[in-house]
Amino acid sequence: MTDTATSTKNAAERIAELRAELDAHNHRYYVLDEPSIPDAEYDRLFNELKTLEGEHPELVTADSPTQRVGGAALSAFGEVRHEVPMLSLGNAFEDSDLLDFDRRVREGLDLPAGDLFGGGATVAYCCEPKLDGLAVSLLYRDGQLVRGATRGDGSTGEDISSNVRTVRNIPLKLQGSGWPALLEVRGEVFMSKAGFEALNVRQLESGGKTFANPRNAAAGSLRQLDPKITASRPLEFCCYGIGQVQGELPDSQVGILQALKGWGLPISHELKLAEGVEACLDYYRNIGERRQALAYEIDGVVFKVNNLAWQRELGFRAREPRWAIAHKFPASEELTELLDVEFQVGRTGAVTPVARLKPVKVAGVTVSNATLHNMDEVARLGLMIGDTVIIRRAGDVIPQVMAVVAERRPADARSVQIPACCPVCGSQVERTQLVKRSKGKETLSEGAVYRCVGRLACGAQLKQAIIHFVSRRALDIEGLGEKSVEQLVDEGLVRSPADLFTLRFEQIVGLEGFAELSSNNLLAAIAASKRPGLARFIYALGIPDVGEETAKTLARALGSLTRIQQALPEVLTWLPDVGAEVAYEIHNFFGDDHNRTVIAQLLERGLQLQEEGELHAEFAAATTLADFIDKLNIPFIAATGARNLADKAGSFDGVIALSQDWLELSVMKGLNDKAKQSLREFFANPDNVARARAIETQLRDFGMHWESEKKAVAGLPLAGQTWVLTGTLEAMSRDMAKDKLEALGAKVAGSVSAKTSCVVAGPGAGSKLAKASELGVRVLDEAEFLGLLQQFA
Ligand code: IVH
């Protein structure tokens, strides 16, 4: 043999080995949900295969795992004739429809009927969820995937072979042995809820079109002429049946599905065999209760006679099998008409469009209003008054307008206009400005939100502000519900939260719902709320973007209202989960004269904050000199440059001195010329020096000791890493998990970004997990996380 022939033979062997190994891992990961190797190891094997195939293009085959990225784009789909037609299912909506179906089945099979005392023969049914995606046929010849097709009109579909190859859990070749020589598998291609959310986030970011629901997203992704687009979409497959077959298969529906599973095809995790129709109803109710918690959308369940001989005996009526039925859940989407768009004013003055709809029943509840979020959303939907719209209500989620049915737009449809004046107080309505701060520069852009500038002079904002101020998690003033607040404001008795503390008995008694006793009770409740904890008080103020968690962080880290009020925005960004935007909101809130007056009045009128006092060590621990330099936002100096600068200069004074010493600076390593130039210019400006000094002084006042802290964390195993916890953990509380991670030197953040080192995801993890997979961030489940802790114990 020549050298090339030997190397080709070795390559062919290694390629076969790698494919087998990757196929096995794929199957464990996508079909069994039991990943067996870390992603990095998978990537290594995959890259090795890709390199070998690149060196030996003659060895590339269609069933190689590398071929899932999508081949060349088509100009049109070819046609596929279905040898066995792809049928649809009859529907049952009420329990009685299902009982009728079961009766027809038993009569069709001539099985003995029961009497008043029960008895009779029961039929066993194969039960599965009815996935909301699109039906697909996959043809395997000698175990190789040779064709994929859509359902089309049931007799003729489209050839989407290149596209189905990109769906990760569709095996390109069957596993094991014993499969029929020709096997047509049928099932649903769908998108999980998390995959759908992540895709829409990505589409928004890239300016692409977003999808109304997972079903549309799945259909739009699968019917792409360019399979590379399909490959980039989070599609999944689940099989529920077969079409044409040449060869032997088990003689029951469940038996066939289990055989398919054994050959590496994904089947439903919810597959069950039910003895008799009552067991089917139990199955329907059980899945119905868990519907919202499932990872994918379903619109019902499907029951099929399990015995195949019986299926043949029952046969078909028109285009529906007599042996199967879909038992539907109440629809979560309906069509209705948009009668008008009105504008509501919220606590922070945001003027929000609300859709007034022709009442329609959605999933059992009559819907006549839906929020439209903001004017960008109205524009995104292309909404006009008079339009027919798709309304969706999932579980207890508020109804949403998903899309406009463009074909049904009436000639007299009107556009939606934001009012120039507040519908409540008549003040001007302004579009918010978004301020983006990056590396010393501020860029303004138009925000999606419009605000009424009236603030507490606007009745709507005042009412909402007070409702928030007295709410259970804020000052917790019992007996002051929304209706009472509305009265107090409408009667002019309360013009700011501070007015609550000067209310007198004779002002309240006689208001609707206030007799002598309830008036006294309310005054007592107000008096009892005068000693709130600092965190509660900060939360109660209703600072935009400051929820309970941020309020707690501020209170814990800074320990006093005065410090929080005085904190510079840059300093606030040192706190965990406080980004520049929130920091500026906090700073602007306390800088506002009106807010200052209200706070001063509250304190004058007897409000005494509790838990005020010491600074928390946590604040200091978060700080390093490099961090400090980075946060000064000097143009062209990013995290690495900042670190090099900190190492070289050793102290803040050192950095200033170095920046002005051109000779010393020009020979410094780890900083490029542009960065050096920028550094020099930055500190040549006395305003910048003064600002930096003010930040440094405040950090020191707040207890920062950067050098020593840096050393303490540096040696720890997870130093420099940022972790995110999501979902529920069973073995320990989140706080405990956080403590453990921090003790190992990691920072624990509340949201996932490209900088996140690792995400720990327990059951119920949602958008954070989706974001992590989107960004390719490493994810550990609880067991793996505990394993890791053990390793460092
Ligand atoms: S059986 C003859 N099983 O529902 C049997 N269909 O209305 C035909 N579907 O086109 C289909 N989940 O797209 C079957 N477990 C399931 C299903 C299912 C979803 C879809 C499928 C079909 C439509 C029938």
Side-chain angles (χ1 to χ4, degrees), residues 86-91 128-136 151 187-188 239-241 299 301-302 304 316 319-321 323-324 326 328:
M86 288 183 80
L87 304 172
S88 62
L89 291 169
N91 292 324
E128 292 162 332
K130 185 169 189 296
L131 291 167
D132 209 3
L134 64 161
V136 162
R151 172 166 181 260
E188 200 85 347
C239 56
Y240 50 66
D299 53 356
V301 295
V302 179
K304 293 172 191 146
F316 300 87
R319 303 192 57 76
E320 289 168 10
W323 44 266
K328 301 287 267 294

mmCIF file of all heavy atoms in Angstrom, residues 86-91 128-136 151 187-188 239-241 299 301-302 304 316 319-321 323-324 326 328, ligand 1:
data_model
loop_
_atom_site.group_PDB
_atom_site.id
_atom_site.type_symbol
_atom_site.label_atom_id
_atom_site.label_comp_id
_atom_site.label_asym_id
_atom_site.label_seq_id
_atom_site.Cartn_x
_atom_site.Cartn_y
_atom_site.Cartn_z
ATOM 1 N N MET A 86 -51.036 10.987 4.575
ATOM 2 C CA MET A 86 -50.873 11.513 5.938
ATOM 3 C C MET A 86 -52.212 12.125 6.346
ATOM 4 O O MET A 86 -52.604 13.161 5.808
ATOM 5 C CB MET A 86 -49.754 12.559 5.991
ATOM 6 C CG MET A 86 -48.380 11.933 5.841
ATOM 7 S SD MET A 86 -47.045 13.143 5.985
ATOM 8 C CE MET A 86 -46.902 13.336 7.756
ATOM 9 N N LEU A 87 -52.863 11.472 7.284
ATOM 10 C CA LEU A 87 -54.238 11.854 7.613
ATOM 11 C C LEU A 87 -54.287 12.825 8.779
ATOM 12 O O LEU A 87 -53.278 13.103 9.417
ATOM 13 C CB LEU A 87 -55.031 10.599 7.961
ATOM 14 C CG LEU A 87 -55.009 9.553 6.851
ATOM 15 C CD1 LEU A 87 -55.647 8.279 7.339
ATOM 16 C CD2 LEU A 87 -55.720 10.086 5.616
ATOM 17 N N SER A 88 -55.502 13.301 9.024
ATOM 18 C CA SER A 88 -55.639 14.115 10.238
ATOM 19 C C SER A 88 -56.501 13.358 11.238
ATOM 20 O O SER A 88 -56.878 12.208 10.988
ATOM 21 C CB SER A 88 -56.219 15.472 9.894
ATOM 22 O OG SER A 88 -57.487 15.290 9.349
ATOM 23 N N LEU A 89 -56.801 13.997 12.355
ATOM 24 C CA LEU A 89 -57.503 13.305 13.439
ATOM 25 C C LEU A 89 -58.840 13.980 13.699
ATOM 26 O O LEU A 89 -58.953 15.200 13.560
ATOM 27 C CB LEU A 89 -56.681 13.396 14.727
ATOM 28 C CG LEU A 89 -55.376 12.619 14.774
ATOM 29 C CD1 LEU A 89 -54.580 13.037 16.000
ATOM 30 C CD2 LEU A 89 -55.668 11.127 14.815
ATOM 31 N N GLY A 90 -59.807 13.181 14.109
ATOM 32 C CA GLY A 90 -61.056 13.762 14.594
ATOM 33 C C GLY A 90 -60.799 14.369 15.973
ATOM 34 O O GLY A 90 -59.828 14.021 16.645
ATOM 35 N N ASN A 91 -61.650 15.298 16.375
ATOM 36 C CA ASN A 91 -61.445 15.980 17.655
ATOM 37 C C ASN A 91 -62.518 15.638 18.676
ATOM 38 O O ASN A 91 -63.684 15.475 18.323
ATOM 39 C CB ASN A 91 -61.490 17.495 17.456
ATOM 40 C CG ASN A 91 -60.301 17.978 16.669
ATOM 41 O OD1 ASN A 91 -59.206 17.445 16.831
ATOM 42 N ND2 ASN A 91 -60.502 18.954 15.811
ATOM 43 N N GLU A 128 -50.679 9.930 24.122
ATOM 44 C CA GLU A 128 -49.537 10.851 23.954
ATOM 45 C C GLU A 128 -50.054 12.288 23.952
ATOM 46 O O GLU A 128 -51.204 12.518 23.589
ATOM 47 C CB GLU A 128 -48.895 10.670 22.568
ATOM 48 C CG GLU A 128 -48.193 9.388 22.342
ATOM 49 C CD GLU A 128 -47.994 9.154 20.838
ATOM 50 O OE1 GLU A 128 -48.782 9.645 20.012
ATOM 51 O OE2 GLU A 128 -47.040 8.477 20.518
ATOM 52 N N PRO A 129 -49.201 13.236 24.295
ATOM 53 C CA PRO A 129 -49.597 14.640 24.138
ATOM 54 C C PRO A 129 -49.740 14.959 22.649
ATOM 55 O O PRO A 129 -49.083 14.328 21.823
ATOM 56 C CB PRO A 129 -48.431 15.429 24.713
ATOM 57 C CG PRO A 129 -47.563 14.447 25.399
ATOM 58 C CD PRO A 129 -47.841 13.107 24.831
ATOM 59 N N LYS A 130 -50.567 15.918 22.315
ATOM 60 C CA LYS A 130 -50.650 16.376 20.932
ATOM 61 C C LYS A 130 -49.773 17.619 20.808
ATOM 62 O O LYS A 130 -50.116 18.699 21.287
ATOM 63 C CB LYS A 130 -52.099 16.706 20.563
ATOM 64 C CG LYS A 130 -52.264 17.065 19.100
ATOM 65 C CD LYS A 130 -53.750 17.109 18.734
ATOM 66 C CE LYS A 130 -53.969 17.246 17.235
ATOM 67 N NZ LYS A 130 -53.463 18.484 16.679
ATOM 68 N N LEU A 131 -48.611 17.405 20.235
ATOM 69 C CA LEU A 131 -47.638 18.494 20.126
ATOM 70 C C LEU A 131 -48.113 19.512 19.110
ATOM 71 O O LEU A 131 -48.709 19.151 18.098
ATOM 72 C CB LEU A 131 -46.299 17.939 19.654
ATOM 73 C CG LEU A 131 -45.572 17.058 20.662
ATOM 74 C CD1 LEU A 131 -44.449 16.325 19.986
ATOM 75 C CD2 LEU A 131 -45.047 17.927 21.791
ATOM 76 N N ASP A 132 -47.823 20.778 19.384
ATOM 77 C CA ASP A 132 -48.254 21.830 18.479
ATOM 78 C C ASP A 132 -47.074 22.249 17.605
ATOM 79 O O ASP A 132 -46.352 23.183 17.908
ATOM 80 C CB ASP A 132 -48.788 23.013 19.302
ATOM 81 C CG ASP A 132 -49.830 23.776 18.531
ATOM 82 O OD1 ASP A 132 -50.157 23.345 17.405
ATOM 83 O OD2 ASP A 132 -50.318 24.788 19.047
ATOM 84 N N GLY A 133 -46.880 21.518 16.528
ATOM 85 C CA GLY A 133 -45.790 21.846 15.601
ATOM 86 C C GLY A 133 -46.275 21.530 14.210
ATOM 87 O O GLY A 133 -47.395 21.874 13.873
ATOM 88 N N LEU A 134 -45.427 20.864 13.416
ATOM 89 C CA LEU A 134 -45.949 20.436 12.117
ATOM 90 C C LEU A 134 -45.529 19.017 11.799
ATOM 91 O O LEU A 134 -44.443 18.575 12.193
ATOM 92 C CB LEU A 134 -45.597 21.413 10.998
ATOM 93 C CG LEU A 134 -44.161 21.626 10.621
ATOM 94 C CD1 LEU A 134 -44.078 22.240 9.250
ATOM 95 C CD2 LEU A 134 -43.524 22.561 11.644
ATOM 96 N N ALA A 135 -46.435 18.312 11.099
ATOM 97 C CA ALA A 135 -46.246 16.888 10.828
ATOM 98 C C ALA A 135 -45.170 16.702 9.769
ATOM 99 O O ALA A 135 -45.127 17.441 8.786
ATOM 100 C CB ALA A 135 -47.555 16.282 10.364
ATOM 101 N N VAL A 136 -44.295 15.711 10.007
ATOM 102 C CA VAL A 136 -43.189 15.461 9.098
ATOM 103 C C VAL A 136 -43.049 13.954 8.884
ATOM 104 O O VAL A 136 -43.291 13.170 9.804
ATOM 105 C CB VAL A 136 -41.884 16.056 9.699
ATOM 106 C CG1 VAL A 136 -40.660 15.476 9.043
ATOM 107 C CG2 VAL A 136 -41.890 17.570 9.569
ATOM 108 N N ARG A 151 -46.257 17.392 5.410
ATOM 109 C CA ARG A 151 -47.510 16.706 5.164
ATOM 110 C C ARG A 151 -48.182 17.230 3.890
ATOM 111 O O ARG A 151 -48.776 16.458 3.148
ATOM 112 C CB ARG A 151 -48.409 16.915 6.380
ATOM 113 C CG ARG A 151 -49.809 16.437 6.206
ATOM 114 C CD ARG A 151 -50.506 16.378 7.559
ATOM 115 N NE ARG A 151 -51.853 15.894 7.402
ATOM 116 C CZ ARG A 151 -52.930 16.667 7.381
ATOM 117 N NH1 ARG A 151 -52.802 17.978 7.523
ATOM 118 N NH2 ARG A 151 -54.122 16.158 7.230
ATOM 119 N N GLY A 187 -43.955 12.020 12.572
ATOM 120 C CA GLY A 187 -43.965 12.694 13.870
ATOM 121 C C GLY A 187 -44.067 14.189 13.691
ATOM 122 O O GLY A 187 -44.350 14.676 12.589
ATOM 123 N N GLU A 188 -43.827 14.882 14.772
ATOM 124 C CA GLU A 188 -44.019 16.326 14.788
ATOM 125 C C GLU A 188 -42.668 17.020 14.967
ATOM 126 O O GLU A 188 -41.880 16.618 15.823
ATOM 127 C CB GLU A 188 -44.940 16.654 15.979
ATOM 128 C CG GLU A 188 -45.635 17.980 15.896
ATOM 129 C CD GLU A 188 -46.944 17.927 15.089
ATOM 130 O OE1 GLU A 188 -47.192 16.919 14.394
ATOM 131 O OE2 GLU A 188 -47.696 18.912 15.155
ATOM 132 N N CYS A 239 -41.489 11.370 17.397
ATOM 133 C CA CYS A 239 -42.302 10.574 16.482
ATOM 134 C C CYS A 239 -43.475 9.923 17.189
ATOM 135 O O CYS A 239 -43.419 9.602 18.376
ATOM 136 C CB CYS A 239 -41.480 9.596 15.667
ATOM 137 S SG CYS A 239 -40.515 8.488 16.597
ATOM 138 N N TYR A 240 -44.569 9.763 16.420
ATOM 139 C CA TYR A 240 -45.783 9.190 16.993
ATOM 140 C C TYR A 240 -46.370 8.101 16.115
ATOM 141 O O TYR A 240 -47.446 7.604 16.401
ATOM 142 C CB TYR A 240 -46.825 10.282 17.270
ATOM 143 C CG TYR A 240 -47.115 11.224 16.126
ATOM 144 C CD1 TYR A 240 -47.720 10.777 14.954
ATOM 145 C CD2 TYR A 240 -46.786 12.579 16.226
ATOM 146 C CE1 TYR A 240 -47.982 11.631 13.908
ATOM 147 C CE2 TYR A 240 -47.044 13.451 15.180
ATOM 148 C CZ TYR A 240 -47.647 12.974 14.007
ATOM 149 O OH TYR A 240 -47.910 13.829 12.973
ATOM 150 N N GLY A 241 -45.707 7.755 15.008
ATOM 151 C CA GLY A 241 -46.301 6.706 14.177
ATOM 152 C C GLY A 241 -45.435 6.360 12.993
ATOM 153 O O GLY A 241 -44.280 6.803 12.897
ATOM 154 N N ASP A 299 -51.672 21.087 22.338
ATOM 155 C CA ASP A 299 -53.037 21.588 22.280
ATOM 156 C C ASP A 299 -54.047 20.513 22.642
ATOM 157 O O ASP A 299 -55.241 20.691 22.461
ATOM 158 C CB ASP A 299 -53.351 22.247 20.923
ATOM 159 C CG ASP A 299 -53.026 21.349 19.747
ATOM 160 O OD1 ASP A 299 -52.486 20.253 19.963
ATOM 161 O OD2 ASP A 299 -53.314 21.743 18.601
ATOM 162 N N VAL A 301 -54.417 15.928 23.821
ATOM 163 C CA VAL A 301 -53.736 14.627 23.856
ATOM 164 C C VAL A 301 -54.335 13.768 22.743
ATOM 165 O O VAL A 301 -55.433 14.050 22.251
ATOM 166 C CB VAL A 301 -53.873 13.918 25.226
ATOM 167 C CG1 VAL A 301 -53.170 14.697 26.310
ATOM 168 C CG2 VAL A 301 -55.331 13.721 25.593
ATOM 169 N N VAL A 302 -53.594 12.740 22.324
ATOM 170 C CA VAL A 302 -54.068 11.863 21.245
ATOM 171 C C VAL A 302 -54.205 10.450 21.798
ATOM 172 O O VAL A 302 -53.293 9.955 22.485
ATOM 173 C CB VAL A 302 -53.080 11.869 20.060
ATOM 174 C CG1 VAL A 302 -53.566 10.930 18.955
ATOM 175 C CG2 VAL A 302 -52.913 13.277 19.512
ATOM 176 N N LYS A 304 -54.935 6.424 20.722
ATOM 177 C CA LYS A 304 -54.981 5.512 19.575
ATOM 178 C C LYS A 304 -55.223 4.098 20.099
ATOM 179 O O LYS A 304 -54.599 3.707 21.101
ATOM 180 C CB LYS A 304 -53.648 5.528 18.825
ATOM 181 C CG LYS A 304 -53.364 6.847 18.157
ATOM 182 C CD LYS A 304 -51.967 6.918 17.581
ATOM 183 C CE LYS A 304 -51.674 8.343 17.169
ATOM 184 N NZ LYS A 304 -50.281 8.712 17.344
ATOM 185 N N PHE A 316 -60.798 3.527 8.223
ATOM 186 C CA PHE A 316 -60.894 4.980 8.117
ATOM 187 C C PHE A 316 -62.281 5.441 7.710
ATOM 188 O O PHE A 316 -63.022 4.702 7.084
ATOM 189 C CB PHE A 316 -59.897 5.475 7.062
ATOM 190 C CG PHE A 316 -58.494 5.126 7.420
ATOM 191 C CD1 PHE A 316 -57.958 3.896 7.059
ATOM 192 C CD2 PHE A 316 -57.729 6.013 8.149
ATOM 193 C CE1 PHE A 316 -56.658 3.566 7.419
ATOM 194 C CE2 PHE A 316 -56.429 5.689 8.513
ATOM 195 C CZ PHE A 316 -55.886 4.456 8.149
ATOM 196 N N ARG A 319 -61.145 11.210 5.835
ATOM 197 C CA ARG A 319 -59.687 11.315 5.973
ATOM 198 C C ARG A 319 -59.245 11.179 7.421
ATOM 199 O O ARG A 319 -58.203 11.678 7.821
ATOM 200 C CB ARG A 319 -59.211 12.633 5.363
ATOM 201 C CG ARG A 319 -59.637 12.764 3.889
ATOM 202 C CD ARG A 319 -58.959 13.878 3.177
ATOM 203 N NE ARG A 319 -57.494 13.796 3.197
ATOM 204 C CZ ARG A 319 -56.780 12.968 2.439
ATOM 205 N NH1 ARG A 319 -57.376 12.124 1.637
ATOM 206 N NH2 ARG A 319 -55.470 12.987 2.489
ATOM 207 N N GLU A 320 -60.072 10.501 8.223
ATOM 208 C CA GLU A 320 -59.699 10.337 9.631
ATOM 209 C C GLU A 320 -59.748 8.862 10.025
ATOM 210 O O GLU A 320 -60.677 8.157 9.637
ATOM 211 C CB GLU A 320 -60.688 11.106 10.514
ATOM 212 C CG GLU A 320 -60.524 12.609 10.394
ATOM 213 C CD GLU A 320 -61.683 13.358 11.022
ATOM 214 O OE1 GLU A 320 -62.515 12.724 11.706
ATOM 215 O OE2 GLU A 320 -61.753 14.573 10.823
ATOM 216 N N PRO A 321 -58.781 8.420 10.828
ATOM 217 C CA PRO A 321 -58.840 7.037 11.294
ATOM 218 C C PRO A 321 -59.977 6.873 12.318
ATOM 219 O O PRO A 321 -60.234 7.793 13.088
ATOM 220 C CB PRO A 321 -57.487 6.822 11.961
ATOM 221 C CG PRO A 321 -56.976 8.175 12.278
ATOM 222 C CD PRO A 321 -57.599 9.137 11.325
ATOM 223 N N TRP A 323 -59.759 4.743 14.583
ATOM 224 C CA TRP A 323 -59.103 4.183 15.772
ATOM 225 C C TRP A 323 -58.298 5.216 16.568
ATOM 226 O O TRP A 323 -57.576 4.860 17.496
ATOM 227 C CB TRP A 323 -58.196 3.017 15.367
ATOM 228 C CG TRP A 323 -57.369 3.304 14.128
ATOM 229 C CD1 TRP A 323 -57.710 2.980 12.852
ATOM 230 C CD2 TRP A 323 -56.113 3.989 14.056
ATOM 231 N NE1 TRP A 323 -56.740 3.405 11.964
ATOM 232 C CE2 TRP A 323 -55.748 4.021 12.685
ATOM 233 C CE3 TRP A 323 -55.258 4.560 14.988
ATOM 234 C CZ2 TRP A 323 -54.564 4.611 12.239
ATOM 235 C CZ3 TRP A 323 -54.082 5.135 14.539
ATOM 236 C CH2 TRP A 323 -53.750 5.171 13.178
ATOM 237 N N ALA A 324 -58.401 6.472 16.160
ATOM 238 C CA ALA A 324 -57.626 7.491 16.892
ATOM 239 C C ALA A 324 -58.444 8.768 17.019
ATOM 240 O O ALA A 324 -59.319 9.037 16.193
ATOM 241 C CB ALA A 324 -56.321 7.787 16.163
ATOM 242 N N ALA A 326 -58.128 13.061 18.714
ATOM 243 C CA ALA A 326 -57.414 14.099 19.477
ATOM 244 C C ALA A 326 -58.396 14.678 20.493
ATOM 245 O O ALA A 326 -59.470 15.129 20.115
ATOM 246 C CB ALA A 326 -56.924 15.192 18.541
ATOM 247 N N LYS A 328 -58.932 17.658 22.655
ATOM 248 C CA LYS A 328 -58.305 18.983 22.689
ATOM 249 C C LYS A 328 -58.504 19.696 24.031
ATOM 250 O O LYS A 328 -59.519 19.523 24.690
ATOM 251 C CB LYS A 328 -58.904 19.868 21.586
ATOM 252 C CG LYS A 328 -58.739 19.311 20.176
ATOM 253 C CD LYS A 328 -57.325 19.413 19.676
ATOM 254 C CE LYS A 328 -57.026 20.654 18.887
ATOM 255 N NZ LYS A 328 -57.657 20.861 17.622
HETATM 256 S S1 IVH B 1 -51.442 10.914 14.912
HETATM 257 C C1 IVH B 1 -53.635 9.032 11.577
HETATM 258 N N1 IVH B 1 -50.291 11.674 17.132
HETATM 259 O O1 IVH B 1 -51.950 16.417 14.877
HETATM 260 C C2 IVH B 1 -52.909 9.660 12.688
HETATM 261 N N2 IVH B 1 -50.803 13.306 15.489
HETATM 262 O O2 IVH B 1 -54.745 16.486 13.680
HETATM 263 C C3 IVH B 1 -52.477 11.044 12.404
HETATM 264 N N3 IVH B 1 -50.093 15.580 16.085
HETATM 265 O O3 IVH B 1 -51.174 16.093 11.477
HETATM 266 C C4 IVH B 1 -51.678 11.718 13.397
HETATM 267 N N4 IVH B 1 -49.204 15.077 18.026
HETATM 268 O O4 IVH B 1 -49.371 16.968 13.042
HETATM 269 C C5 IVH B 1 -50.791 12.056 15.951
HETATM 270 N N5 IVH B 1 -49.220 12.222 19.121
HETATM 271 C C6 IVH B 1 -49.720 12.595 17.937
HETATM 272 C C7 IVH B 1 -49.690 13.939 17.498
HETATM 273 C C8 IVH B 1 -50.253 14.257 16.266
HETATM 274 C C9 IVH B 1 -49.458 16.045 17.150
HETATM 275 C C10 IVH B 1 -50.554 16.402 14.937
HETATM 276 C C11 IVH B 1 -50.083 15.906 13.595
HETATM 277 C C12 IVH B 1 -51.307 15.641 12.790
HETATM 278 C C13 IVH B 1 -52.371 16.393 13.512
HETATM 279 C C14 IVH B 1 -53.675 15.665 13.373
#
